Amino acid sequence: MPQDPAERRVVVTGPARRTGRASGYYRPRTEIDEQTTLGHTYVRSLMRSQLRAALTVFAVLMLLVGPLPLLFAALPDAHRLEWAVLGFCLYAPLVLLARWYVRRAERNERDFIRLVEDR
């Protein structure tokens, strides 16, 4: 016996159509992609931390290398000393400073990614 058309069920398949957010749930990556104020704040925070690391390296570099011309000018005929200081004594601190900066920048980026990734 055929079913009554009013009792017949229709099954519709397709993608979910959720467009709104659930209350209390936000996605930082979406905020950044949509360039909202919150997303701008996230990116600005990353840029500030990177700038802080760069300015720290620059300040240490200026304190390390800045006084050298004055030192060399104060010591007449110290050409061997100049080459020794520039070639050997300055190389290791510059490499260590560069390593510190790269590690700090990568840590800032890791922290930012951890903040932005979906949990």
Side-chain angles (χ1 to χ4, degrees), residues 1-101:
M1 179 157 177
Q3 292 182 345
D4 186 24
E7 295 178 17
R8 195 177 300 170
R9 292 186 181 184
V10 177
V11 177
V12 178
T13 58
R17 295 187 186 189
R18 291 186 188 176
T19 57
R21 288 191 250 177
S23 62
Y25 178 75
Y26 73 97
R27 296 177 59 193
R29 184 175 290 169
T30 305
E31 299 288 339
I32 293 169
D33 290 341
E34 293 177 0
Q35 296 180 356
T36 63
T37 305
L38 181 60
H40 179 69
T41 304
Y42 282 133
V43 173
R44 197 166 164 204
S45 170
L46 173 66
M47 297 305 292
R48 278 186 179 171
S49 61
Q50 297 290 49
L51 180 63
R52 191 177 313 117
L55 290 177
T56 302
V57 168
F58 182 72
V60 171
L61 186 63
M62 286 298 105
L63 290 174
L64 187 66
V65 178
L68 288 179
L70 296 174
L71 174 71
F72 295 151
L75 299 173
D77 298 327
H79 296 293
R80 289 185 190 265
L81 175 68
E82 292 173 9
W83 284 108
V85 168
L86 291 176
F88 298 107
C89 299
L90 202 58
Y91 184 75
L94 288 178
V95 169
L96 292 175
L97 197 60
R99 281 189 70 198
W100 179 85
Y101 175 73

Side-chain angles (χ1 to χ4, degrees), residues 98-116:
R99 281 189 70 198
W100 179 85
Y101 175 73
V102 168
R103 291 182 72 191
R104 184 67 188 179
E106 288 174 351
R107 184 185 316 155
N108 289 340
E109 290 174 3
R110 264 194 321 268
D111 292 344
F112 180 74
I113 289 170
R114 193 176 312 128
L115 175 71
V116 171

